[in-house]
Amino acid sequence: MKATCWMGKKHVEVRDVPDPQILNQTDAIVRITSTAICGSDLHLYNGFVQPMMKGDVLGHEFMGEVVEVGRRVQTLKVGDRVVVPFTIACGNCWQCRHDNWSLCENSNPNGALAEKALGHAASGAFGYSHLTGGFAGGQAEFARVPFADVGPLKIENGFSDEQVLFLSDILPTGYMGAEMCDITPGDTVAVWGCGPVGLFAIMSAYLLGAERVIAIDRLDYRLEMARKCRAETVNYETVESVSETLIEMTAGRGPDACIDAVGLEAHGHGPAYLYDRTKQAVGLETDRPIALREAITACRNGGTISVIGVYGGLVDKFPLGTIMNRSLTIKAGQCHVHRYMRPLLERIQNREIDPTLVITHRLPLSDAAKGYDIFLNKEDNCEKVVLHT
Ligand code: NAD
Ligand code: ZN
Ligand code: ZN
């Protein structure tokens, strides 16, 4: 089959690789019809999330048709149309039973490696480095889906691929980002990053009752997309201080909750940005927490910081004193996608949310390398690239 392979830093290639096979009797094989490139893929592409091996198959947002099932698969049959969550979960362990699917204790065969890096292992994930199990991803023609009775969501009501594809990751992620803010009526929520995850966080914050959402980015076309989602916007390149601007916009109090939808490759300007870039380049810090620091500084006393942007390791100049003295709460996580797929499918069906709004580019799978390039460099007003097989 054809698959998008990681070949080194800033180098992906669509190559011929062996077709996936059923390895466990709870696996299914899915013929992929649509897949997408995520901001998280850019962290792999840029070499920040490791370890990757030459030839690893990328991609964790995908859907398609079941073409084979293992003997113990009970709920899926050949021909079913499914969206597959990016996290892999067994459905039976303590964490799965507590609805914390991205922390499944049984799905990451490289748990020992993850324990060394993170203290404890998180779940397996498709196409997302050997720290999450080294599973082949879904920017491909086929994928092996473990625990097929647990993750894949059957699509039965005639939705188009593009309406439901993002249930695999970015829609639940943006939603979880907003949900972690514990929004109450009248709240103002600030969202750093107007990529697809940020846009879904904005839409979700309104769905969950926010009165105002303020979005921060530097790309005008993305700020315009945020305004279409009813957010007020701040271009961080045109203000002296984002935190002070937000505090002013909220009558001196600060946003009730702040969502970091940027992650470890944040941009910035001035000496602070130079400091982080330099320390990251020489390996003294793994991540650039520029948006996160601003979120912490801007947030009102007693407010919540919701971190859905991806971080990999250690950050510097982390304002712990601010968090402690001002009673801030930080919540974070890889999305517990399984928790949100069904309720969000209902919201799509009820037309409360239209996931297709974020799509700007549609390419054949064979053009995946071009897709990475356009998405990385935000060329041609790129917001989200969907790859069709
Ligand atoms: P993206 O690259 O399209 O968007 C990131 C946006 O952040 C860009 O528009 C960029 O201009 C903006 N940005 C950069 N520095 C900024 C700053 N200092 N302040 C404000 N904005 C800034 O990516 P995406 O697909 O929207 O993903 C966003 C983040 O979410 C990534 O880190 C990705 O890995 C992460 N993610 C997490 C999960 C999860 O489960 N937690 C799932 C999917 C994606
Ligand atoms: Zn993702
Ligand atoms: Zn589990």
Side-chain angles (χ1 to χ4, degrees):
M1 67 161 183
K2 300 267 181 229
T4 308
C5 298
W6 187 92
M7 302 301 287
K9 207 171 150 179
K10 291 207 168 70
H11 182 191
V12 302
E13 268 176 35
V14 176
R15 315 186 82 200
D16 288 311
V17 304
D19 287 354
Q21 309 286 328
I22 298 275
L23 296 183
N24 296 309
Q25 291 311 322
T26 48
D27 292 348
I29 304 292
V30 171
R31 182 181 65 77
I32 292 161
T33 50
S34 297
T35 175
I37 306 175
C38 178
S40 300
D41 291 321
L42 296 182
H43 304 321
L44 301 169
Y45 189 62
N46 290 334
F48 286 111
V49 172
Q50 291 285 354
M52 291 294 287
M53 288 185 209
K54 199 169 174 181
D56 283 347
V57 177
L58 292 165
H60 57 266
E61 302 177 53
F62 63 95
M63 64 177 297
E65 185 191 330
V66 175
V67 291
E68 199 182 340
V69 289
R71 274 198 309 276
R72 286 178 51 208
V73 174
Q74 293 175 341
T75 58
L76 292 184
K77 54 181 195 317
V78 169
D80 282 345
R81 194 166 163 238
V82 289
V83 180
V84 179
F86 80 88
T87 44
I88 301 170
C90 77
N92 273 320
C93 71
W94 191 92
Q95 292 288 3
C96 285
R97 280 186 278 114
H98 286 76
D99 215 15
N100 296 326
W101 306 86
S102 72
L103 301 174
C104 172
E105 294 162 337
N106 279 329
S107 62
N108 184 351
N110 292 343
L113 194 67
E115 277 166 22
K116 262 199 186 136
L118 305 172
H120 295 272
S123 76
F126 292 99
Y128 209 66
S129 91
H130 293 266
L131 211 60
T132 58
F135 290 94
Q139 287 160 6
E141 287 178 316
F142 295 90
R144 176 178 78 92
V145 177
F147 303 112
D149 280 327
V150 181
L153 175 72
K154 256 197 255 186
I155 301 296
E156 292 167 313
N157 288 356
F159 295 102
S160 67
D161 275 22
E162 292 185 355
Q163 278 178 298
V164 292
L165 171 63
F166 303 140
L167 287 169
S168 58
D169 177 357
I170 53 171
L171 174 54
T173 298
Y175 187 87
M176 183 169 110
E179 197 187 62
M180 288 194 294
C181 295
D182 292 327
I183 295 168
T184 54
D187 275 1
T188 299
V189 177
V191 179
W192 276 254
C194 298
V197 171
L199 292 184
F200 284 134
I202 296 168
M203 294 181 216
S204 303
Y206 278 126
L207 277 178
L208 292 170
E211 185 168 310
R212 291 172 77 192
V213 180
I214 307 175
I216 302 114
D217 205 302
R218 69 175 168 153
L219 302 166
D220 280 327
Y221 74 93
R222 287 187 165 206
L223 290 167
E224 179 58 32
M225 291 181 93
R227 284 192 288 274
K228 288 209 172 108
C229 302
R230 295 194 289 134
E232 299 163 53
T233 56
V234 174
N235 184 330
Y236 67 80
E237 288 200 312
T238 65
V239 296
E240 192 68 28
S241 153
V242 172
S243 309
E244 278 168 28
T245 305
L246 290 171
I247 290 169
E248 255 169 51
M249 287 171 83
T250 51
R253 178 178 284 166
D256 299 285
C258 294
I259 301 176
D260 172 352
V262 177
L264 67 97
E265 292 186 70
H267 315 116
H269 43 73
Y273 179 58
L274 264 180
Y275 174 93
D276 283 312
R277 272 221 89 116
T278 312
K279 288 206 86 166
Q280 195 180 36
V282 296
L284 288 172
E285 163 178 66
T286 55
D287 309 331
R288 304 196 293 262
I290 294 159
L292 182 57
R293 286 194 204 103
E294 284 174 357
I296 293 169
T297 313
C299 194
R300 75 149 158 82
N301 285 356
T304 301
I305 320 292
S306 161
V307 185
I308 44 170
V310 161
Y311 290 87
L314 301 176
V315 300
D316 214 3
K317 294 200 181 296
F318 186 70
L320 186 58
T322 308
I323 295 166
M324 191 274 156
N325 287 289
R326 298 209 288 107
S327 303
L328 300 179
T329 300
I330 297 197
K331 296 190 189 173
Q334 294 286 1
C335 185
H336 303 293
V337 181
H338 299 58
R339 193 195 284 172
Y340 300 101
M341 288 179 100
R342 230 167 266 285
L344 287 173
L345 179 65
E346 266 171 43
R347 288 194 188 261
I348 296 171
Q349 182 145 25
N350 298 341
R351 301 189 187 285
E352 292 170 70
I353 200 155
D354 177 5
T356 63
L357 290 175
V358 304
I359 304 172
T360 51
H361 289 72
R362 297 165 173 89
L363 297 171
L365 176 68
S366 54
D367 277 348
K370 184 173 157 200
Y372 270 82
D373 198 48
I374 296 175
F375 184 47
L376 173 71
N377 297 309
K378 315 302 185 217
E379 275 169 26
D380 188 26
N381 290 353
C382 181
E383 179 74 13
K384 184 74 180 175
V385 181
V386 172
L387 303 168
H388 293 292
T389 56

